[in-house]
Amino acid sequence: MDKFIISGGHSLKGAVTAGGSKNAALPILLSALLTDEECIIGRVPLLRDIETTFKLLEYHGKKVSFSKGVARIAPHKKLVTEAPYDLVKQMRASVLVAGPLLARFHKASVPLPGGCAIGMRPIDIHITALARLGAKIDNANGNLLLSADKLRGARIRFPFPSVGATENLMMCAALVPGVTILENVAMEPEIDDLLDCLVKMGAEMSREKGGRIRINGVKKLRGVKHDVIADRVETGTYLLAGAATRGRVTVKKSCPEHLASLLEHLARAGVRVSYTADSITVDSSKVRPRSVSIHTEPHPGFPTDLQAPWMSLMCVSHGSGEVKEDIFENRFMHAPELARMGALIAVDGHTAAVEGVPSLSGAEVMASDIRGGAALVVAALAAKGETTVQRIYHIDRGYERMEKKLASLGAKIRRVKG
Ligand code: EPZ
């Protein structure tokens, strides 16, 4: 297993360019199952989860080619409606094939994705909502068996604004006769990007005020050419690395409005934040950041995917604060690893109390999930001495060429193939 060796204590300076959003690309690539025409998706990052998605599309019968960030998904064979367990277990977003396959073929068999390091990750909200459209759903041998004699539009209110459930229902309802109103939907920018792409494919769909999406099902969807939005979580991670190392970092081709909560919290921490329409700069070279508490919320609140890297910033900030994780039940696995580097963190259920220290010290640490692994890298860059971050395959799931981008900012980081 590959690992990173990082020699910390160097302030990051300079600019990097944001890649395309992993969490927008995944549903958008899978929406190709809704059409028999070619889909050309641009600004697709080269990540493990994206490669898994390509394998999933090919398994289902599509022909996929990928070069220089552009994925071409073309019709190839008759589509298969059973999803493979070995791919679903690698990437729980595979459950997003259910909506498209059910809409087109009135049947789908999808292995229950199982949990992951950050939580049980149930899909009850997806299931209840698909049933509202008329799907019959059984669970046999760990597989979700969906079938429907006929599907009709319905008014569906989500008990929680689940990102995945919103995406699954948007893709399904796009081809279901009648009007579907989704209420209490996720407001994340990745949802807007999927909606824009589906409308380009011919879907009749629009966001309405008050967290509602109105969908008028159509008979057929056509192919599409669409570039995904910038990855706001990758962008936020590099901004936090700049702030934690007392540096000055710009992320180009990013979208400031997608990171309003992070930028507001950074400003409250005393970090100088400036931005243009498509770039963001943070500068903590003059003043040590102050500790600012966060609690994670659905968008536009503070994003759960930046909770871990934010905690790393708090570990080296002046003062103490709290991190409250209100989205996932087990998203503090980076805390004990940060403590190995000298961080002062006390975890109590969904809350972590963090007291800033003058500096962290390098150590051997281990990543357990994508964003927790990124947090360990941020901490290692700020720490004095050398850190080894093990199991960086987690990080490779969500960050393209992280070591190259960080090295271009002056970080002393290298990948050791394991
Ligand atoms: C998406 O996951 C993202 N993944 C996650 O990013 C992100 O953390 C999450 O949204 C929240 O923003 C992708 O887009 C591929 P949810 P998703 O459904 O769709 C519970 C990363 O690091 N829930 O909004 O799974 C669930 O257990 C990843 O890039 C149910 O209880 O998120 C969780 O506690 C990690 N029942 C909460 O809701 C359901 O049916 C949020 O889940 C569905 C969800």
Side-chain angles (χ1 to χ4, degrees), residues 72-100:
R72 288 173 176 275
I73 304 142
H76 184 45
K77 292 184 261 179
K78 185 172 175 304
L79 290 188
V80 167
T81 59
E82 291 78 29
Y85 177 63
D86 68 325
L87 291 177
V88 174
K89 75 179 181 214
Q90 287 177 47
M91 184 185 71
R92 64 180 314 282
S94 310
V95 75
L96 295 177
V97 304

Side-chain angles (χ1 to χ4, degrees), residues 22-23 92 121-125 162-164 305 327 371:
K22 165 179 86 79
N23 291 348
R92 64 180 314 282
R121 312 288 297 271
I123 55 168
D124 54 311
I125 301 174
S162 155
V163 170
D305 291 346
I327 302 290
R371 312 304 175 181

Side-chain angles (χ1 to χ4, degrees), residues 92-380:
R92 64 180 314 282
S94 310
V95 75
L96 295 177
V97 304
L101 294 173
L102 180 68
R104 289 197 67 192
F105 306 104
H106 282 202
K107 66 176 179 164
S109 164
V110 182
L112 283 165
C116 71
I118 62 177
M120 284 287 286
R121 312 288 297 271
I123 55 168
D124 54 311
I125 301 174
H126 300 239
I127 292 168
T128 309
L130 290 170
R132 291 276 296 118
L133 294 179
K136 199 162 111 6
I137 299 166
D138 296 310
N139 176 346
N141 317 96
N143 288 308
L144 214 53
L145 307 175
L146 301 101
S147 60
D149 299 331
K150 79 181 177 63
L151 295 167
R152 288 296 304 160
R155 178 183 285 273
I156 299 167
R157 181 171 183 74
F158 290 127
F160 174 86
S162 155
V163 170
T166 301
E167 292 164 344
N168 231 338
L169 271 288
M170 287 163 69
M171 290 191 283
C172 186
L175 287 177
V176 168
V179 174
T180 295
I181 308 272
L182 302 178
E183 296 182 326
N184 193 30
V185 297
M187 307 298 279
E188 274 70 5
E190 293 76 31
I191 302 286
D192 295 318
D193 203 20
L194 173 61
L195 191 146
D196 291 348
C197 182
L198 289 170
V199 167
K200 283 184 194 170
M201 293 169 75
E204 290 178 20
M205 190 178 290
S206 58
R207 261 203 195 282
E208 294 182 340
K209 60 184 186 311
R212 240 198 331 263
I213 291 177
R214 172 182 289 269
I215 303 160
N216 185 21
V218 295
K219 284 197 174 7
K220 219 165 121 58
L221 291 175
R222 51 181 181 266
V224 67
K225 201 169 171 332
H226 181 85
D227 290 349
V228 303
I229 55 173
D231 192 314
R232 64 191 166 102
V233 182
E234 183 201 27
T235 299
T237 304
Y238 289 120
L239 295 174
L240 285 163
T245 57
R246 305 292 304 279
R248 188 179 192 287
V249 166
T250 297
V251 180
K252 297 189 288 191
K253 292 179 115 184
S254 57
C255 183
E257 71 194 65
H258 291 167
L259 283 166
S261 180
L262 173 72
L263 301 185
E264 185 244 316
H265 282 81
L266 280 170
R268 279 176 34 209
V271 176
R272 285 184 53 204
V273 177
S274 55
Y275 48 85
T276 66
D278 64 351
S279 77
I280 306 169
T281 299
V282 296
D283 182 348
S284 65
S285 57
K286 306 275 184 308
V287 177
R288 183 184 177 200
R290 286 188 301 279
S291 187
V292 170
S293 297
I294 58 165
H295 77 273
T296 60
E297 294 178 282
H299 194 77
F302 192 96
T304 176
D305 291 346
L306 286 173
Q307 176 261 103
W310 180 270
M311 187 185 285
S312 295
L313 172 65
M314 286 176 75
C315 289
V316 294
S317 295
H318 175 71
S320 54
E322 275 193 352
V323 173
K324 211 161 165 318
E325 173 54 60
D326 283 337
I327 302 290
F328 287 102
E329 65 266 34
N330 184 33
R331 209 170 192 178
F332 284 147
M333 279 160 305
H334 44 286
E337 298 302 304
L338 291 170
R340 286 176 52 71
M341 300 173 73
L344 296 177
I345 306 172
V347 172
D348 176 11
H350 285 233
T351 302
V354 182
E355 187 178 332
V357 293
S359 83
L360 297 172
S361 46
E364 289 263 351
V365 290
M366 187 170 75
S368 311
D369 63 276
I370 307 177
R371 312 304 175 181
L376 298 179
V377 171
V378 170

